[in-house]
Amino acid sequence: MKIDLSGKKAFVTGSSGGIGRAIAVALSHSGATVAVHYRGDEAGARETLAQMRPDDGHLMLQGDVSEKDAVAGWFRSLHDAWGGLDIFINNAGIDGEKQPLAESEVDAWEKVISVNLLGGYYGVRQALQMMLPADGGVILSVTSVHEKIPWAGQSAYCASKAGISLMTQSLALEISDQNVRVLCLAPGAIKTDINKDVWSDEEQLADLKEKIPMRRMGDVEEIANLAVAMVSEEVGSYMTGTTVFADGGMITYPSFAKGG
Ligand code: BGC
Protein backbone atom coordinates (compact mmCIF):
# COMPACT_ATOMS: atom_id res chain seq x y z
CA MET A 1 0.00 0.00 0.00
CA LYS A 2 1.26 3.43 -0.90
CA ILE A 3 0.13 6.60 0.81
CA ASP A 4 -0.70 9.31 -1.68
CA LEU A 5 -1.51 12.81 -0.43
CA SER A 6 -1.32 14.45 -3.86
CA GLY A 7 -3.57 17.48 -4.08
CA LYS A 8 -3.95 17.71 -0.28
CA LYS A 9 -3.22 20.98 1.48
CA ALA A 10 -1.59 20.73 4.90
CA PHE A 11 -0.60 23.22 7.59
CA VAL A 12 1.95 22.28 10.27
CA THR A 13 2.47 24.65 13.21
CA GLY A 14 5.94 24.74 14.72
CA SER A 15 7.65 23.27 11.69
CA SER A 16 10.96 25.16 11.76
CA GLY A 17 12.61 22.17 13.44
CA GLY A 18 12.17 18.94 15.38
CA ILE A 19 9.07 16.79 14.96
CA GLY A 20 7.16 19.54 13.15
CA ARG A 21 9.81 19.85 10.45
CA ALA A 22 9.93 16.09 9.95
CA ILE A 23 6.13 15.97 9.59
CA ALA A 24 6.11 18.85 7.07
CA VAL A 25 8.84 17.17 5.05
CA ALA A 26 7.13 13.74 5.14
CA LEU A 27 3.74 15.19 4.16
CA SER A 28 5.29 16.98 1.19
CA HIS A 29 7.11 13.87 -0.02
CA SER A 30 3.80 12.01 0.14
CA GLY A 31 2.43 14.58 -2.29
CA ALA A 32 0.87 17.25 -0.07
CA THR A 33 1.31 20.99 -0.47
CA VAL A 34 2.41 22.31 2.90
CA ALA A 35 2.35 25.56 4.88
CA VAL A 36 5.39 25.70 7.16
CA HIS A 37 5.02 27.79 10.32
CA TYR A 38 7.60 29.30 12.67
CA ARG A 39 7.66 31.82 15.48
CA GLY A 40 11.28 32.99 15.70
CA ASP A 41 13.44 30.60 13.68
CA GLU A 42 13.09 31.79 10.10
CA ALA A 43 16.29 30.03 9.03
CA GLY A 44 14.90 26.78 10.44
CA ALA A 45 11.66 27.23 8.51
CA ARG A 46 13.65 27.88 5.31
CA GLU A 47 15.62 24.68 5.94
CA THR A 48 12.31 22.78 6.29
CA LEU A 49 11.18 24.18 2.94
CA ALA A 50 14.51 23.19 1.41
CA GLN A 51 14.01 19.58 2.55
CA MET A 52 10.47 19.43 1.17
CA ARG A 53 9.37 18.22 -2.25
CA PRO A 54 9.52 21.33 -4.46
CA ASP A 55 6.04 22.79 -5.00
CA ASP A 56 5.12 26.36 -5.88
CA GLY A 57 2.10 26.08 -3.61
CA HIS A 58 4.09 25.68 -0.37
CA LEU A 59 3.68 28.59 2.03
CA MET A 60 5.47 30.02 5.04
CA LEU A 61 3.61 31.60 7.98
CA GLN A 62 5.11 33.40 10.96
CA GLY A 63 3.84 34.25 14.42
CA ASP A 64 2.90 33.09 17.88
CA VAL A 65 0.28 30.34 18.25
CA SER A 66 -0.83 31.84 21.56
CA GLU A 67 -2.03 35.01 19.79
CA LYS A 68 -5.52 34.23 18.59
CA ASP A 69 -5.69 37.06 16.04
CA ALA A 70 -2.45 35.90 14.45
CA VAL A 71 -3.81 32.36 14.24
CA ALA A 72 -7.02 33.59 12.59
CA GLY A 73 -4.89 35.56 10.10
CA TRP A 74 -2.94 32.47 9.03
CA PHE A 75 -6.13 30.59 8.27
CA ARG A 76 -7.40 33.54 6.22
CA SER A 77 -4.14 33.44 4.26
CA LEU A 78 -4.52 29.71 3.69
CA HIS A 79 -8.07 30.22 2.51
CA ASP A 80 -6.97 32.96 0.12
CA ALA A 81 -4.04 30.98 -1.24
CA TRP A 82 -5.51 27.48 -1.37
CA GLY A 83 -9.28 27.85 -1.05
CA GLY A 84 -9.35 25.20 1.68
CA LEU A 85 -7.36 22.99 4.03
CA ASP A 86 -7.31 19.20 4.21
CA ILE A 87 -4.81 18.49 6.99
CA PHE A 88 -4.02 20.52 10.09
CA ILE A 89 -1.12 19.41 12.28
CA ASN A 90 -1.33 21.14 15.66
CA ASN A 91 2.28 20.66 16.64
CA ALA A 92 3.81 23.87 18.03
CA GLY A 93 4.62 23.52 21.70
CA ILE A 94 7.01 24.26 24.52
CA ASP A 95 7.90 22.34 27.65
CA GLY A 96 8.82 25.31 29.86
CA GLU A 97 11.10 25.43 32.86
CA LYS A 98 10.98 22.59 35.37
CA GLN A 99 9.42 23.92 38.57
CA PRO A 100 7.57 22.33 41.49
CA LEU A 101 3.97 23.51 41.37
CA ALA A 102 3.98 24.96 44.88
CA GLU A 103 6.82 27.34 44.03
CA SER A 104 5.98 27.81 40.37
CA GLU A 105 5.98 31.22 38.76
CA VAL A 106 2.46 31.94 37.63
CA ASP A 107 3.63 33.60 34.42
CA ALA A 108 5.73 30.60 33.45
CA TRP A 109 2.86 28.16 34.13
CA GLU A 110 0.45 30.32 32.14
CA LYS A 111 2.89 30.56 29.24
CA VAL A 112 2.96 26.79 28.75
CA ILE A 113 -0.83 26.62 28.88
CA SER A 114 -1.14 29.60 26.48
CA VAL A 115 1.09 28.05 23.86
CA ASN A 116 0.23 24.35 24.13
CA LEU A 117 -3.41 24.34 25.19
CA LEU A 118 -4.89 27.69 24.17
CA GLY A 119 -2.71 27.88 21.05
CA GLY A 120 -3.81 24.37 20.10
CA TYR A 121 -7.44 25.26 20.71
CA TYR A 122 -7.21 28.41 18.55
CA GLY A 123 -5.72 26.47 15.65
CA VAL A 124 -8.07 23.51 15.89
CA ARG A 125 -11.07 25.86 16.10
CA GLN A 126 -9.99 27.76 12.98
CA ALA A 127 -9.24 24.54 11.11
CA LEU A 128 -12.72 23.23 11.91
CA GLN A 129 -14.30 26.40 10.58
CA MET A 130 -12.64 25.70 7.22
CA MET A 131 -13.08 21.93 7.20
CA LEU A 132 -16.66 21.47 8.42
CA PRO A 133 -18.30 23.60 5.68
CA ALA A 134 -16.08 21.83 3.13
CA ASP A 135 -17.24 18.45 4.48
CA GLY A 136 -13.79 17.00 4.93
CA GLY A 137 -10.46 17.19 6.70
CA VAL A 138 -8.16 15.73 9.32
CA ILE A 139 -6.77 17.41 12.42
CA LEU A 140 -3.86 15.79 14.22
CA SER A 141 -2.46 17.21 17.46
CA VAL A 142 1.01 16.20 18.51
CA THR A 143 0.67 15.62 22.23
CA SER A 144 3.12 13.55 24.28
CA VAL A 145 3.29 10.49 26.49
CA HIS A 146 2.73 13.16 29.12
CA GLU A 147 -0.92 13.39 28.14
CA LYS A 148 -1.01 10.27 30.37
CA ILE A 149 2.27 10.03 32.29
CA PRO A 150 2.67 12.45 35.20
CA TRP A 151 6.00 14.30 35.36
CA ALA A 152 7.29 16.01 38.50
CA GLY A 153 8.24 19.61 37.84
CA GLN A 154 6.28 19.65 34.57
CA SER A 155 2.69 20.02 35.78
CA ALA A 156 1.85 22.74 33.26
CA TYR A 157 3.21 20.68 30.35
CA CYS A 158 1.29 17.57 31.48
CA ALA A 159 -1.90 19.56 32.04
CA SER A 160 -1.61 21.12 28.58
CA LYS A 161 -1.08 17.80 26.82
CA ALA A 162 -3.84 16.01 28.76
CA GLY A 163 -6.06 18.99 27.95
CA ILE A 164 -5.49 18.69 24.20
CA SER A 165 -6.16 14.97 24.39
CA LEU A 166 -9.51 15.30 26.14
CA MET A 167 -10.41 18.33 24.00
CA THR A 168 -9.87 16.09 20.97
CA GLN A 169 -12.03 13.29 22.36
CA SER A 170 -14.82 15.72 23.21
CA LEU A 171 -14.59 17.23 19.75
CA ALA A 172 -14.86 13.79 18.18
CA LEU A 173 -18.26 13.41 19.86
CA GLU A 174 -19.36 16.69 18.33
CA ILE A 175 -18.30 16.27 14.71
CA SER A 176 -17.51 12.67 13.82
CA ASP A 177 -20.51 12.37 11.52
CA GLN A 178 -19.23 15.28 9.43
CA ASN A 179 -16.20 13.81 7.65
CA VAL A 180 -13.62 15.58 9.78
CA ARG A 181 -11.37 13.25 11.78
CA VAL A 182 -9.58 14.44 14.92
CA LEU A 183 -6.58 12.61 16.33
CA CYS A 184 -3.66 12.85 18.74
CA LEU A 185 -0.21 11.40 18.22
CA ALA A 186 1.71 11.03 21.47
CA PRO A 187 5.48 10.74 21.03
CA GLY A 188 7.76 9.51 23.78
CA ALA A 189 11.38 10.62 24.05
CA ILE A 190 12.25 11.70 20.52
CA LYS A 191 15.73 13.11 19.95
CA THR A 192 15.21 16.83 19.25
CA ASP A 193 16.39 20.16 20.64
CA ILE A 194 13.60 20.12 23.26
CA ASN A 195 15.38 17.38 25.24
CA LYS A 196 18.99 18.02 24.18
CA ASP A 197 19.95 18.75 27.78
CA VAL A 198 18.98 15.16 28.63
CA TRP A 199 20.40 13.19 25.67
CA SER A 200 23.67 15.11 25.62
CA ASP A 201 24.37 14.12 29.23
CA GLU A 202 25.48 10.51 29.68
CA GLU A 203 23.94 10.02 33.11
CA GLN A 204 20.60 11.58 32.21
CA LEU A 205 20.45 9.61 28.96
CA ALA A 206 21.04 6.35 30.84
CA ASP A 207 18.23 7.27 33.26
CA LEU A 208 15.92 8.09 30.34
CA LYS A 209 16.62 4.74 28.67
CA GLU A 210 15.56 2.98 31.89
CA LYS A 211 12.14 4.52 31.29
CA ILE A 212 11.90 3.12 27.75
CA PRO A 213 11.35 -0.64 27.31
CA MET A 214 12.90 -0.43 23.81
CA ARG A 215 15.97 1.15 25.45
CA ARG A 216 16.46 3.86 22.87
CA MET A 217 15.15 7.29 21.98
CA GLY A 218 12.98 7.70 18.91
CA ASP A 219 13.82 9.53 15.69
CA VAL A 220 11.69 12.33 14.27
CA GLU A 221 11.06 10.28 11.11
CA GLU A 222 9.39 7.56 13.20
CA ILE A 223 6.86 10.14 14.34
CA ALA A 224 6.52 11.85 10.96
CA ASN A 225 5.79 8.65 9.04
CA LEU A 226 3.16 7.70 11.60
CA ALA A 227 1.57 11.15 11.31
CA VAL A 228 1.38 10.76 7.52
CA ALA A 229 -0.28 7.37 7.93
CA MET A 230 -2.79 8.63 10.49
CA VAL A 231 -3.92 11.60 8.38
CA SER A 232 -4.10 9.53 5.20
CA GLU A 233 -7.29 7.85 4.07
CA GLU A 234 -5.31 4.73 3.14
CA VAL A 235 -4.49 4.01 6.81
CA GLY A 236 -6.52 6.37 8.96
CA SER A 237 -9.98 6.45 7.37
CA TYR A 238 -11.70 4.79 10.37
CA MET A 239 -9.72 6.53 13.13
CA THR A 240 -11.03 9.46 15.12
CA GLY A 241 -11.09 10.70 18.72
CA THR A 242 -8.11 8.63 19.74
CA THR A 243 -4.43 8.92 20.60
CA VAL A 244 -1.73 6.76 19.10
CA PHE A 245 1.39 6.45 21.27
CA ALA A 246 4.80 6.07 19.62
CA ASP A 247 7.08 5.81 22.61
CA GLY A 248 9.12 2.60 22.62
CA GLY A 249 6.78 1.33 25.33
CA MET A 250 7.19 4.27 27.71
CA ILE A 251 3.56 4.24 28.86
CA THR A 252 3.72 0.64 30.05
CA TYR A 253 5.01 1.30 33.60
CA PRO A 254 8.61 0.17 32.88
CA SER A 255 9.45 0.16 36.59
CA PHE A 256 7.29 -2.99 36.81
CA ALA A 257 9.75 -4.88 34.58
CA LYS A 258 11.18 -6.15 37.87
CA GLY A 259 9.61 -6.83 41.25
CA GLY A 260 6.22 -5.56 42.25
C1 BGC B 1 9.13 15.91 26.08
C2 BGC B 1 10.53 15.37 26.08
C3 BGC B 1 10.63 14.09 26.87
C4 BGC B 1 9.54 13.11 26.46
C5 BGC B 1 9.52 11.89 27.34
C6 BGC B 1 8.20 14.83 25.62
O1 BGC B 1 6.88 15.28 25.57
O2 BGC B 1 9.04 17.04 25.23
O3 BGC B 1 11.40 16.34 26.63
O4 BGC B 1 11.88 13.49 26.66
O5 BGC B 1 8.29 13.74 26.51
O6 BGC B 1 9.51 12.20 28.71
Side-chain angles (χ1 to χ4, degrees):
M1 183 189 52
K2 190 175 169 349
I3 291 173
D4 182 11
L5 300 179
S6 307
K8 301 283 187 199
K9 307 286 191 276
F11 174 28
V12 187
T13 62
S15 41
S16 56
I19 290 172
R21 169 186 287 164
I23 293 177
V25 170
L27 287 170
S28 83
H29 286 289
S30 297
T33 302
V34 181
V36 173
H37 160 262
Y38 68 101
R39 184 178 58 86
D41 184 6
E42 185 180 342
R46 292 202 179 283
E47 175 56 28
T48 303
L49 265 181
Q51 292 182 22
M52 279 161 43
R53 178 187 53 79
D55 181 335
D56 290 343
H58 293 326
L59 298 171
M60 216 154 75
L61 300 168
Q62 188 275 330
D64 189 331
V65 291
S66 67
E67 288 171 15
K68 53 179 174 294
D69 295 339
V71 177
W74 306 332
F75 281 86
R76 274 196 302 276
S77 307
L78 294 177
H79 188 267
D80 293 347
W82 290 343
L85 181 68
D86 304 291
I87 298 164
F88 175 53
I89 310 286
N90 166 33
N91 168 75
I94 56 172
D95 57 3
E97 291 291 304
K98 273 207 157 119
Q99 19 178 258
L101 192 147
E103 294 119 48
S104 56
E105 293 156 35
V106 172
D107 286 353
W109 218 92
E110 284 179 353
K111 175 86 185 153
V112 174
I113 297 295
S114 303
V115 173
N116 297 2
L117 183 54
L118 289 176
Y121 156 70
Y122 300 147
V124 169
R125 178 174 171 278
Q126 293 290 337
L128 288 168
Q129 291 185 3
M130 278 176 84
M131 291 174 176
L132 290 172
D135 199 28
V138 193
I139 295 173
L140 183 144
S141 291
V142 178
T143 57
S144 163
V145 284
H146 298 294
E147 72 162 66
K148 275 274 188 300
I149 302 180
W151 193 3
Q154 292 283 18
S155 56
Y157 185 72
C158 292
S160 72
K161 295 297 184 177
I164 290 288
S165 171
L166 212 46
M167 177 187 86
T168 302
Q169 294 170 49
S170 304
L171 175 58
L173 296 183
E174 296 173 6
I175 56 141
S176 287
D177 58 350
Q178 295 174 71
N179 282 329
V180 175
R181 300 189 293 111
V182 287
L183 294 163
C184 294
L185 195 174
I190 309 302
K191 203 168 180 185
T192 67
D193 282 351
I194 210 170
N195 46 26
K196 192 169 181 187
D197 53 332
V198 175
W199 56 258
S200 55
D201 178 285
E202 218 175 296
E203 213 171 293
Q204 290 189 63
L205 179 60
D207 171 70
L208 177 61
K209 286 184 179 168
E210 285 295 309
K211 297 178 167 66
I212 309 171
M214 284 176 72
R215 296 286 178 261
R216 67 168 177 88
M217 297 187 76
D219 292 323
V220 288
E221 288 76 18
E222 296 180 286
I223 301 304
N225 292 336
L226 178 58
V228 168
M230 289 170 71
V231 300
S232 76
E233 286 306 292
E234 288 88 339
V235 176
S237 56
Y238 200 50
M239 299 175 75
T240 198
T242 195
T243 294
V244 176
F245 287 82
D247 64 351
M250 211 174 201
I251 60 161
T252 58
Y253 294 92
S255 58
F256 271 81
K258 296 182 216 101

